Amino acid sequence: MVVRPRDDPRGAPGGDRGPGRTGGGGPDPDGARAADVIARGVRGAEPGEVPGRLCEVAVELLPVIGASVSLRSEGMPVQLSASSAQAARLAHIQATLGDGPCQSALEDGAPVLACDLTRGRDAGRWPVFAQQATEAGVRAVYAVPLGSGTVCVGTLDLYRDRPGELTDRQLHVARIVAGVMTVALMALPHGDEPETQDGEDWLSGLATDHDEVYQAVGMIMAQLGVGADDALARLRADAFARGRTALDVARDVTAHRTRFDRY
């Protein structure tokens, strides 16, 4: 279950003061443009389509080639939506490794800007992820937390094909998109509510990949006689050893193409 974040006392959820305003109360042209692009991007979308639409909006507004959104969860982040197959793969790589800017942003509750994964501090901080990201054509990753400074419920991850920093204005826009993403996710029907309009629980249909992973974890638990944490660790280790994602291996497990045996 995801905890609803508290609204930031200064304004919009996620710690931003909201589109169209600045801290001093003056006009905010970047925020105003972002608000216009967001409104156009989500117009006519069903609630479950909004996270994916906002990922596309982020790519339109910022100097990035892809975006994905993941929610905090026990074990592995829940990858909900992405702007492209490449962005989805980068999110799955981070989930498989349990490491990367996304994981660090979840732990810190603050933006993590990995501006150069090809060398230096960022490459050394997440060496395995940095290698796999660069092989996938990504040189920089910016992870912006969803929620407030008190409760981080997930991240908006932005991917760039060349090293470089986000300017203060670009980070401001990224925070705006993350704030709207948080509101959109919290507005989706929750599983603890009596019933949605179409009878589906919150996030139904959005987190099917996550369901496959945890179905596989359950099967590995039964095969090895271990707990959930150990089963997930074995799944991740197998995926890493074979250069695959945890989702790829999970699908093989649930389809009975792969079985885990005790040592």
Side-chain angles (χ1 to χ4, degrees):
M1 177 179 177
V2 175
V3 179
R4 294 174 185 265
R6 296 186 302 179
D7 286 353
D8 187 283
R10 298 168 297 175
D16 202 277
R17 291 177 173 81
R21 290 176 290 164
T22 63
D28 178 6
D30 296 311
R33 175 175 178 265
D36 288 343
V37 175
I38 289 168
R40 184 175 70 249
V42 302
R43 187 174 295 127
E46 295 294 328
E49 297 173 338
V50 172
R53 294 277 191 95
L54 288 174
C55 287
E56 295 171 0
V57 165
V59 175
E60 181 177 351
L61 287 170
L62 296 163
V64 298
I65 60 170
S68 64
V69 57
S70 300
L71 288 188
R72 179 193 293 272
S73 178
E74 294 295 329
M76 290 178 63
V78 183
Q79 198 261 304
L80 294 183
S81 296
S83 64
S84 65
Q86 182 189 36
R89 176 166 178 77
L90 266 293
H92 283 304
I93 288 174
Q94 294 190 79
T96 298
L97 296 174
D99 193 27
C102 167
Q103 196 70 32
S104 296
L106 286 174
E107 294 169 357
D108 298 343
V112 173
L113 310 179
C115 301
D116 189 352
L117 293 172
T118 65
R119 61 182 180 178
R121 175 180 176 273
D122 295 330
R125 185 175 180 183
W126 310 282
V128 179
F129 170 74
Q131 178 185 3
Q132 296 197 18
T134 54
E135 288 176 355
V138 168
R139 305 292 186 269
V141 176
Y142 318 111
V144 183
L146 305 179
S148 68
T150 305
V151 179
C152 176
V153 299
T155 59
L156 171 66
D157 299 317
L158 307 167
Y159 307 102
R160 188 170 179 171
D161 59 355
R162 64 185 187 280
E165 299 180 356
L166 290 182
T167 66
D168 290 343
R169 294 172 64 177
Q170 290 165 348
L171 181 57
H172 173 57
V173 170
R175 286 180 180 273
I176 290 173
V177 178
V180 176
M181 183 78 78
T182 302
V183 172
L185 292 173
M186 295 303 99
L188 288 172
H190 281 59
D192 54 3
E193 293 176 354
E195 189 175 20
T196 65
Q197 184 176 1
D198 57 6
E200 293 186 354
D201 288 342
W202 183 64
L203 296 184
S204 177
L206 289 178
T208 53
D209 291 350
H210 179 265
D211 292 342
E212 287 184 89
V213 169
Y214 279 92
Q215 182 182 352
V217 166
M219 294 174 66
I220 295 169
M221 290 170 63
Q223 292 168 7
L224 300 180
V226 298
D229 289 346
D230 288 340
L232 179 57
R234 286 289 302 272
L235 177 68
R236 278 175 155 158
D238 185 83
F240 175 73
R242 295 198 278 161
R244 308 179 70 199
T245 67
L247 178 60
D248 293 334
V249 176
R251 286 173 172 163
D252 281 350
V253 171
T254 57
H256 302 285
R257 292 190 293 266
T258 295
R259 178 182 175 83
F260 285 75
D261 298 316
R262 300 188 188 193
Y263 293 123

